Amino acid sequence: MSALTLEQEKVLKAWAARYPAPIMGLVEALRQVQRWHRCVTDEDEEYLARLFDVPRVRIHEVATFFPSFTQKPTGRHRIGICRGLSCSLAGSQSMCSCLEKKLGIKEGASTPDGRFSLETMECLGACEQGPALMVNDELKGAATEESISHLLEELE
Amino acid sequence: MTKLLTAHFDEPKLHELETYRRLGGYEGLKKALAMGREALMAEMGKSNLRGLGGAGFGAAMKWSTVPPESKNPGPRYVVANCDESEPGCFKDRVLVTRNPHQLIEGLLIAAFAIDAYRAFIFIRGEYEVQYKILEKALDEARAAGLIGACSIDLMRGAGAYISGLDTALLETMEGKKAWPRQPPPFPTAAGLMGRPTVVNNVETLCMAPHIVLHGGDWFVKLGTPKSGGTVLFSVSGHVADPGVYEFPMGTPLKDILTAAGGVRGGKKLKAVIPGGVSTPVMTSDELDTPMDFEGPRAKGTFLGAGGVIVLDETVDMVMVAHNIERFLSHESCGQCTPCRQGSFWHERILERALSGGGTAEDLVALERAGENITGQVICALGDTVGVVTRALMKKFPEDFKSRFPERRG
Amino acid sequence: MAKTIKFSLDGRHLSALEGETVLEAAERSGVRIPHYCWHKALGNPGNCRMCVVEVEGTTKLQVSCRLLAREGLVIRSVTSAARRAQASALELHLLDHPLDCPVCDQSGECGLQDYYMDIGRYPSAMREDKAHAGKSIPLGPHIMLDQERCIMCTRCTRFTSQVSKSHELGIFGRGHSQVVDVVPGRTLDNPYSGNLADVCPVGALTDRDFRFQVRVWYLDETESVCPGCSRGCAIFAHTSTRRPWHNKGRRLARLKPRYDSDVNGHWMCDAGRYGFADFDSDRLGKVMRLKPAAAELSWEAAQREVAAALRRKSAEGLAVVASGALSNEDWKAFKSLFVDTLKASRFLFSPEPDQVGVEDELLRRREKVPNLEGGKTLGFGTQIQSMSWDGLAKDIGAGKVWGLYVVDRDPVKVWGEKGRKLLERLDLLVYQGPCKGLSGDLAHYRLPAAAWLEEEGHFINFQGHVQGYRQALKPLGAAKPDWEIFAGMEKDARV
């Protein structure tokens, strides 16, 4: 895992300066770090604890509470499939199996080349377009076997 | 039929300031500023606008509990809650996508009402597209001088349903894990960073400009005596045309289903979840229920956040119960024991039943455990653990009997 | 005076102070409402939901740890509705609990066991496989974690954030898969870590020293005072004598803090808690003349011989080394013998440098002896000044001191090897103490004193509080309290 660059530290410092209290920028800063490192490392947490001037335990509690943050690197492309009730009714489970088959991994894992990781997610707020997919923070509605094939090809 | 929030949804460029203003946008704010705080509060009070995030708490009542600057000097905040995460609810996403300025205008009116100079839109992290739409809309509004002395900032969540609960949302904003607080004090007395804070749902705030423009009396007459105005329903599941539908408060459930094209594929209706997965199901006998805050209550359920999920005759209600309890178990913040353990227990019992291992005595355990969780927890998420399962057990005993058979021998 | 509020709980009339919750007021009055998360010193997060009560006039049950006592409030905690809710919360706490009581050190003093017997006693309806988590995780030198037994009451994390302020512990993850643990890469080694085993109401955090040593129901409890520093924390001594083969044969099983609002609150430091683990090692049990002509003596004979030896030469050349570990009773007899009767002129009782150490803002004090104040009330430190170890060494070296009486202090430890030579120059060395130390073998007379747990007495702490401690154990062998030795000798020392 690479350490933070000076440029990156600057971005994080901007989050710490944006809201009425520095610590209010923590969740956004963690989102940023997760995007850069595809996980939040011990080193990142130590840096954020210093930046926000709070005990490390607080950072680790937040980083392990929210599902957006991981302690182990996700794939370069993080694919989530919604398992909420509406999406389940629309067949999210068979979409998940389809993705598992195409990627050759089980839900919760990453491909050996680090290109994809697959996870099931709770409601993505796109119930009318089920089964909903989430690809790198972007919502994709109404997944079909075909659309999934196209999608995977597009993602490097 | 009167539509307020979705009135101009056929305008392709409604999300742009120019279009929004051409259609009367920001006139409500202008009028609010001109009429002054007291008149504004009076109008909001008359409107009977109630919190549309699910709780139904009177919006004007909430605003009025913020102590005046003279009694509690220092900053106060307004937060638009756009952390929509309840399965079946997606209307806030649609509102922000199609008409971001309506939210900004409503937020500015709320800020003026409680004398706040700093406002936030807290949006779930998965709504990245909507985040960008709001960013752009805020830039436009700022450039046009519409935001004035009040600043509006965006903040994103990180994938936890519980962040949508007001006090857990404040904890998230303060860079903590989203463990709900236990009032008192209520956020309006001590909220964000200990300062008086109003947290309102996106839809609630979007109503404000319309109330200001047309008056509280007009608004209340659109709906029912106790629930003013209109309400958005997110309709999904087994319907022909899933989507967001706006109706006056008190519209019968069947009209909403009809608007969404009815049950898909010529199947028969089995049940409807009226307000998102934390609200007990209604059966096909209950389609005349007027959908406002009171109607569903009389049937033992809630309007919730208007997340209507339609279930056709093919659906196994044990699967539905499992899906919902698994959701609650996954999203339980872990703070209080009855919710943390109770939801997980529900999930496991139902999961075992789905794979063929259920017995009749499990139903007794579900019933008893569930009854002892509701009311014994810290927050509203915990209060819903087991509620939907018990309603399903009561209304669809056959589904449960076949998954939880009497043990022989 | 704060206003008092009257309310009733299960028909009893209780009074609460303003701002007090129903649970706090009940506890203060000795009425028990089941609870886990609330702790007087750690706040009321209200997460365990055990303390639910009925409030007359309201329909919903409420948690009494967050219910402010109000005038006229009528509370019921033992009705069937309240009991059902409490038992249900208990059932959910126990749902995934491993029920490994037979191998759990908390057994016998466990909140889960106690409440199950009080208000539970339901047949288990749990048919799922129990969730598993980490077992036997050593968090630091003193504390062992069992994540499966944890009920998430957060007392421990509140302790490390609010009391020790060391921030090692957190609750990581979310919902049913969350666990208590130390921050990655850290060790739970703050100077107060032992308290975590006390605040944990179940067997999740246990004391490594106490692990598998003895069952708590075989222990005897005695009120005592920690002799580890001038704070004098109120403690309980838990001793194990009924099953001598337990606890590796040691008589002292553990020390626990005893609540004292003025002195130590609920806590004690690790140095005190674990500093006396080897209480019984290196102990003296025989009254000995070592030279000339080594022989075991009776107390009568020893007192006679030593008294005579002390008067053999001028009082001018007699030096006495004492320590702030003496009780008030000891100090009084000490003064009577050495100042009033023998008129000795050289005294050493300053704690420097062998009885001083780390100090902090919570409890620990620099002077690592409990009763310098007791000596001070009799003039030691005011009318009578302490000489320094260097000064004493110089005087022995210069032949100015012929006789030295050492009470529970170890000159060789202070002076090092050169100390042996100095001590060998003396015409008379009397060594009195519970342990032999490095100097014990060099004495002409070696007198076994009872240790603090073997006698009763009083200490005065640095704040001036006079605190009594009781006898927990019988003295080993012939050992007797210091004051009794001094008093017996004084008879013979008077002309």
Side-chain angles (χ1 to χ4, degrees):
Chain A
M1 233 38 56
S2 52
L4 296 161
T5 64
L6 282 178
E7 273 311 299
Q8 288 174 328
E9 286 186 9
K10 231 172 166 178
V11 173
L12 297 178
K13 280 176 189 156
W15 281 117
R18 176 157 168 175
Y19 300 108
I23 190 65
M24 287 179 66
L26 176 62
V27 172
E28 287 282 10
L30 281 166
R31 288 177 58 87
Q32 190 68 75
V33 169
Q34 173 76 35
R35 224 175 271 200
W36 288 330
H37 293 164
R38 288 184 274 126
C39 64
V40 180
T41 65
D42 284 354
E43 224 178 344
D44 295 331
E45 286 187 11
E46 292 287 355
Y47 174 79
L48 291 173
R50 284 194 303 275
L51 175 63
F52 289 103
D53 195 22
V54 293
R56 161 90 190 275
V57 63
R58 168 122 171 231
I59 312 281
H60 195 57
E61 283 194 333
V62 174
T64 56
F65 182 91
F66 291 98
S68 299
F69 311 133
T70 61
Q71 275 62 53
K72 290 196 178 117
T74 65
R76 280 202 304 287
H77 302 291
R78 199 173 171 182
I79 302 176
I81 179 129
C82 177
R83 65 176 190 183
L85 183 57
S86 300
C87 288
S88 288
L89 295 173
S92 69
Q93 206 161 8
S94 62
M95 272 320 115
C96 185
S97 310
C98 166
L99 274 162
E100 286 182 335
K101 216 162 102 198
K102 282 188 199 296
L103 297 173
I105 51 169
K106 286 274 158 210
E107 182 271 322
S110 307
T111 53
D113 59 0
R115 189 166 156 211
F116 295 107
S117 55
L118 178 64
E119 56 201 296
T120 54
M121 299 180 99
E122 295 302 344
C123 184
L124 293 171
C127 316
E128 84 279 34
Q129 319 165 20
L133 279 185
M134 171 101 181
V135 181
N136 302 331
D137 292 336
E138 207 175 309
L139 262 177
K140 309 259 181 198
T144 60
E145 286 209 28
E146 221 168 69
S147 71
I148 285 175
S149 296
H150 283 300
L151 184 80
L152 295 183
E153 277 163 33
E154 276 169 34
L155 299 170
E156 291 207 3
Chain B
M1 213 173 315
T2 314
K3 288 182 179 172
L4 306 179
L5 307 195
T6 62
H8 303 294
F9 271 23
D10 48 358
E11 286 281 340
K13 293 196 168 174
L14 184 59
H15 59 282
E16 290 178 1
L17 180 61
E18 199 191 319
T19 314
Y20 183 66
R21 289 189 91 166
R22 177 166 54 76
L23 296 165
Y26 289 105
E27 290 303 315
L29 174 63
K30 209 197 247 170
K31 190 172 166 191
L33 297 177
M35 70 205 271
R37 204 158 282 134
E38 260 173 51
L40 168 63
M41 288 301 291
E43 235 25 79
M44 292 302 296
K46 273 192 270 180
S47 77
N48 259 354
L49 172 65
R50 295 173 63 173
L52 297 165
F57 191 80
M61 175 69 98
K62 191 186 268 186
W63 295 2
S64 67
T65 53
V66 174
E69 172 87 30
S70 58
K71 281 204 183 138
N72 187 344
R76 58 247 1 261
Y77 304 114
V78 194
V79 181
N81 184 351
C82 190
D83 193 58
E84 184 172 60
S85 315
E86 171 135 346
C89 302
F90 48 90
K91 42 121 183 151
D92 294 341
R93 189 196 88 232
V94 173
L95 278 175
V96 168
T97 314
R98 298 292 292 113
N99 197 351
H101 284 286
Q102 187 171 240
L103 170 61
I104 295 168
E105 187 179 1
L107 189 55
L108 288 168
I109 291 172
F112 174 65
I114 67 152
D115 204 9
Y117 290 87
R118 203 130 185 200
F120 301 90
I121 301 172
F122 185 92
I123 184 165
R124 67 177 295 185
E126 291 78 6
Y127 285 177
E128 188 65 17
V129 173
Q130 290 68 31
Y131 182 86
K132 285 180 182 141
I133 290 171
L134 279 169
E135 256 185 337
K136 196 155 170 262
L138 283 170
D139 284 345
E140 283 182 310
R142 238 176 254 127
L146 290 162
I147 293 185
C150 182
S151 80
I152 299 181
D153 215 336
L154 293 167
M155 193 183 273
R156 277 168 295 198
Y161 168 66
I162 192 65
S163 291
L165 186 103
D166 56 0
T167 57
L169 184 147
L170 297 173
E171 291 285 298
T172 312
M173 291 181 76
E174 289 180 13
K176 299 184 200 146
K177 56 185 176 182
W179 278 15
R181 300 174 186 170
Q182 294 181 74
F186 288 91
T188 47
L192 188 61
M193 305 309 289
R195 298 298 309 158
T197 304
V198 162
V199 181
N200 276 143
N201 174 254
V202 165
E203 185 183 349
T204 315
L205 289 167
C206 287
M207 292 290 178
H210 302 278
I211 294 168
V212 173
L213 272 182
H214 303 289
D217 290 331
W218 170 85
F219 186 82
V220 81
K221 273 186 211 134
L222 293 177
T224 53
K226 286 186 177 170
S227 311
T230 62
V231 57
L232 266 52
F233 294 97
S234 314
V235 187
S236 66
H238 294 137
V239 286
D241 302 314
V244 169
Y245 296 88
E246 183 174 9
F247 280 100
M249 281 283 188
T251 301
L253 180 55
K254 63 170 183 280
D255 293 5
I256 298 158
L257 300 192
T258 307
V263 180
R264 195 168 64 195
K267 297 259 179 13
K268 273 207 286 199
L269 179 72
K270 186 161 184 177
V272 182
I273 289 173
V277 297
S278 62
T279 60
V281 288
M282 301 172 82
T283 61
S284 49
D285 303 337
E286 295 169 323
L287 297 184
D288 290 331
T289 308
M291 295 300 285
D292 56 10
F293 282 103
E294 285 69 37
R297 232 172 220 281
K299 300 278 157 63
T301 184
F302 305 97
L303 178 66
V308 176
I309 305 176
V310 176
L311 306 168
D312 74 16
E313 56 187 327
T314 64
V315 175
D316 173 1
M317 289 307 185
V318 178
M319 182 282 284
V320 173
H322 171 255
N323 185 285
I324 291 172
E325 300 299 345
R326 181 187 63 187
F327 167 74
L328 293 172
S329 161
H330 186 263
E331 295 302 328
S332 170
C333 78
Q335 183 177 199
C336 70
T337 302
C339 170
R340 181 184 69 246
Q341 288 294 106
S343 60
F344 189 35
W345 195 13
H346 273 75
E347 178 191 350
R348 284 182 285 175
I349 292 175
L350 291 160
E351 193 162 293
R352 178 160 48 78
L354 285 180
S355 49
T359 71
E361 41 182 47
D362 291 326
L363 293 178
V364 180
L366 281 175
E367 180 94 34
R368 187 178 53 83
E371 273 170 4
N372 286 324
I373 295 166
T374 309
Q376 306 303 333
V377 292
I378 291 175
C379 81
L381 181 153
D383 262 336
T384 66
V385 170
V387 168
V388 176
T389 297
R390 288 205 302 291
L392 286 168
M393 280 162 59
K394 203 164 129 201
K395 292 184 172 175
F396 300 94
E398 294 310 314
D399 289 33
F400 282 81
K401 261 183 208 148
S402 66
R403 290 287 192 182
F404 295 91
E406 294 286 347
R407 232 191 327 198
R408 263 170 271 231
Chain C
M1 240 338 245
K3 207 180 115 198
T4 55
I5 294 154
K6 292 194 171 61
F7 70 101
S8 92
L9 172 62
D10 298 322
R12 274 192 257 201
H13 296 285
L14 300 185
S15 61
L17 307 174
E18 212 165 354
E20 220 172 18
T21 63
V22 167
L23 180 59
E24 275 174 312
E27 282 280 318
R28 205 169 33 73
S29 314
V31 185
R32 203 92 210 276
I33 300 174
H35 64 270
Y36 292 124
C37 69
W38 175 80
H39 185 287
K40 194 171 156 55
L42 300 171
N44 54 341
N47 60 42
C48 75
R49 315 310 280 182
M50 288 291 290
C51 66
V52 282
V53 293
E54 272 188 59
V55 184
E56 197 169 273
T58 63
T59 49
K60 205 179 156 183
L61 296 172
Q62 297 190 44
V63 285
S64 56
C65 72
R66 299 187 65 85
L67 177 63
L68 278 185
R70 291 192 308 272
E71 192 65 40
L73 213 54
V74 179
I75 310 283
R76 294 186 186 90
S77 75
V78 294
T79 59
S80 62
R83 279 294 190 234
R84 190 170 60 241
Q86 294 160 6
S88 164
L90 177 66
E91 181 183 20
L92 292 163
H93 277 109
L94 280 167
L95 206 62
D96 281 298
H97 186 85
L99 300 178
D100 53 352
C101 312
V103 295
C104 177
D105 285 311
Q106 193 78 6
S107 255
E109 52 185 9
C110 171
L112 291 168
Q113 287 180 333
D114 292 349
Y115 292 138
Y116 183 79
M117 295 313 287
D118 284 353
I119 60 171
R121 298 193 185 225
Y122 50 81
S124 172
M126 170 71 171
R127 298 183 51 216
E128 316 312 314
D129 292 336
K130 299 219 174 198
H132 290 293
K135 306 282 286 179
S136 309
I137 306 168
L139 297 183
H142 303 304
I143 297 293
M144 188 72 86
L145 167 66
D146 185 311
Q147 292 173 330
E148 289 183 353
R149 295 180 190 151
C150 175
I151 58 167
M152 297 293 161
C153 70
T154 70
R155 280 186 181 189
C156 58
T157 56
R158 284 177 277 147
F159 181 86
T160 51
S161 67
Q162 296 164 26
V163 181
S164 70
K165 297 188 169 72
S166 46
H167 305 285
E168 301 100 329
L169 289 175
I171 291 181
F172 306 129
R174 188 175 68 173
H176 60 77
S177 54
Q178 75 192 10
V179 290
V180 162
D181 210 340
V182 282
V183 173
R186 291 266 319 253
T187 303
L188 182 70
D189 55 2
N190 72 70
Y192 294 91
S193 67
N195 293 294
L196 289 160
D198 303 338
V199 299
C200 180
V202 300
L205 298 175
T206 52
D207 194 316
R208 293 182 70 184
D209 279 14
F210 187 66
R211 194 169 157 81
F212 304 147
Q213 293 303 307
V214 52
R215 284 309 200 174
V216 298
W217 49 86
Y218 292 131
L219 295 176
D220 294 302
E221 180 172 275
T222 309
E223 287 188 8
S224 189
V225 174
C226 178
C229 80
S230 62
R231 169 77 54 181
C233 290
I235 57 169
F236 287 116
H238 288 168
T239 48
S240 164
T241 51
R242 283 183 272 163
R243 294 286 188 285
W245 54 91
H246 288 169
N247 197 37
K248 296 197 183 85
R250 291 169 306 193
R251 298 186 299 164
L252 177 62
R254 61 181 184 184
L255 300 178
K256 288 261 183 193
R258 174 165 58 89
Y259 179 69
D260 188 319
S261 57
D262 294 334
V263 177
N264 55 311
H266 297 267
W267 324 119
M268 72 185 293
C269 76
D270 289 357
R273 187 187 298 260
Y274 303 108
F276 305 96
D278 291 331
F279 174 74
D280 270 345
S281 69
D282 189 40
R283 290 292 306 276
L284 297 177
K286 290 178 182 169
V287 186
M288 295 296 293
R289 178 177 65 222
L290 298 175
K291 59 189 176 184
E296 183 175 351
L297 304 176
S298 70
W299 271 113
E300 289 72 24
Q303 280 160 194
R304 210 170 40 240
E305 283 189 27
V306 173
L310 288 170
R311 301 184 58 94
R312 204 170 297 145
K313 290 193 179 182
S314 74
E316 181 78 3
L318 179 63
V320 190
V321 172
S323 118
L326 294 177
S327 68
N328 289 353
E329 292 78 357
D330 297 335
W331 274 119
K332 190 154 183 291
F334 175 88
K335 186 183 182 197
S336 178
L337 173 65
F338 291 107
V339 180
D340 303 341
T341 303
L342 293 170
K343 317 255 186 267
S345 57
R346 288 183 162 84
F347 288 93
L348 190 159
F349 48 83
S350 155
E352 307 286 345
D354 52 322
Q355 295 180 326
V356 293
V358 187
E359 169 166 291
D360 64 30
E361 284 175 359
L362 188 53
L363 295 177
R364 294 184 300 167
R365 305 278 309 163
R366 185 164 187 277
E367 314 79 34
K368 299 304 174 195
V369 279
N371 199 28
L372 285 165
E373 290 298 317
K376 209 183 241 173
T377 57
L378 294 175
F380 293 95
T382 51
Q383 291 104 323
I384 304 164
Q385 294 304 317
S386 175
M387 62 194 312
S388 70
W389 284 98
D390 283 350
L392 180 60
K394 210 183 281 167
D395 288 355
I396 296 175
K400 290 185 190 161
V401 170
W402 60 268
L404 180 65
Y405 197 116
V406 176
V407 183
D408 195 14
R409 209 92 182 242
D410 200 339
V412 173
K413 212 168 150 193
V414 180
W415 287 328
E417 278 311 300
K418 73 161 193 184
R420 288 182 192 279
K421 296 224 170 61
L422 282 172
L423 294 180
E424 277 160 11
R425 294 188 54 163
L426 293 164
D427 293 342
L428 174 68
L429 173 64
V430 182
Y431 180 87
Q432 172 180 328
C435 300
K436 191 158 76 169
L438 299 174
S439 310
D441 283 338
L442 302 173
H444 296 82
Y445 294 93
R446 196 174 67 197
L447 309 177
W452 110 101
L453 288 177
E454 296 166 347
E455 60 179 33
E456 52 180 30
H458 294 81
F459 294 144
I460 304 177
N461 86 344
F462 80 103
Q463 299 158 298
H465 290 295
V466 180
Q467 307 185 90
Y469 58 93
R470 294 178 189 283
Q471 183 181 354
L473 295 166
K474 289 198 186 85
L476 277 185
K480 56 185 191 178
D482 292 284
W483 66 266
E484 222 179 302
I485 302 173
F486 298 142
M489 214 170 285
E490 198 194 333
K491 267 198 327 273
D492 296 312
R494 268 192 233 119
V495 193

